[in-house]
Amino acid sequence: HGLLEARGVPLIFNEIEFSLLERSAESFGLLRTCKDLGITVLAWAPLASGRLTEKESVGNITHGPTVAVLRETQAIAKARDKTVAQVAINWCICKGTVPIPGARTRAQAVDNAGALGWRLTEQEVARLDAVAMDGNGMYDSPDAILTFLGEPRFCKACVRCSVRCLLRCVKRCMPYLSPY
């Protein structure tokens, strides 16, 4: 920020991965710093690459903490007559970010738009905060990649193992890619 400012170039926004399953930016103070500097945070993957939706493949998620987030999000969605995606996007809005969810279909775009025009209560945000996670983003979780791509139709165990190995290799060979 300082280097840009010294050259007269304003930093207007910062696009980061941010969701109930990857809230490291909040935990490490990046959201607060951006707010203090007047920088808008664009929340990339607010639906955690499909894990915070009602896609069929979400039912195959076995990671305990992710399941806990899904259960709490589903409970709030049911009580509010909203969808899981709408609750997840609204949580990002309540955190001061501008979520940019993806949509492959018209129905998904309409569902995403349903996150607007209302706000979670402070109590609902606190319930979600209690289960929200750091470090379970798109590039940290086999579940994320498999939910995004869809469950394989053959040898699921082999594909999951291959994805885990690939993620480990990337982390070891490219530690400089970590945003924090």
Side-chain angles (χ1 to χ4, degrees):
H1 178 262
L3 290 173
L4 291 172
E5 188 176 54
R7 289 169 176 77
V9 179
L11 181 57
I12 304 300
F13 67 87
N14 187 8
E15 183 178 341
I16 58 169
E17 184 175 6
F18 186 74
S19 72
L20 284 161
L21 299 182
E22 177 48 278
R23 68 182 284 189
S24 299
E26 181 180 31
S27 300
F28 294 126
L30 182 60
L31 289 185
R32 168 64 53 203
T33 299
C34 285
K35 183 178 179 182
D36 292 347
L37 295 172
I39 299 167
T40 300
V41 174
L42 300 181
W44 170 75
L47 300 177
S49 303
R51 289 176 290 164
L52 296 173
T53 66
E54 292 162 358
K55 287 172 69 171
E56 185 178 318
S57 57
V58 168
N60 297 321
I61 293 174
T62 58
H63 183 246
T66 302
V67 172
V69 171
L70 283 168
R71 285 190 182 135
E72 193 62 45
T73 308
Q74 289 164 344
I76 292 170
K78 184 176 180 181
R80 287 289 207 129
D81 196 28
K82 300 291 182 186
T83 66
V84 169
Q86 290 167 349
V87 170
I89 293 168
N90 198 277
W91 178 84
C92 290
I93 293 168
C94 289
K95 294 295 179 173
T97 69
V98 177
I100 48 174
R104 293 183 181 171
T105 66
R106 183 182 200 289
Q108 289 173 342
V110 169
D111 186 33
N112 293 347
L116 302 174
W118 62 280
R119 286 290 180 273
L120 292 165
T121 65
E122 287 182 18
Q123 294 81 11
E124 291 167 330
V125 170
R127 286 171 52 194
L128 292 169
D129 284 349
V131 293
M133 304 166 55
D134 291 341
N136 194 26
M138 176 66 173
Y139 303 106
D140 299 308
S141 167
D143 281 336
I145 294 170
L146 293 171
T147 301
F148 179 74
L149 296 175
E151 283 292 322
R153 292 183 177 19
F154 63 93
C155 194
K156 290 181 184 182
C158 293
V159 172
R160 284 182 178 274
C161 182
S162 297
V163 169
R164 281 190 191 96
C165 289
L166 177 64
L167 288 172
R168 282 190 203 116
C169 288
V170 168
K171 284 182 181 180
R172 284 187 187 139
C173 297
M174 300 179 181
Y176 59 87
L177 290 179
S178 175
Y180 308 105

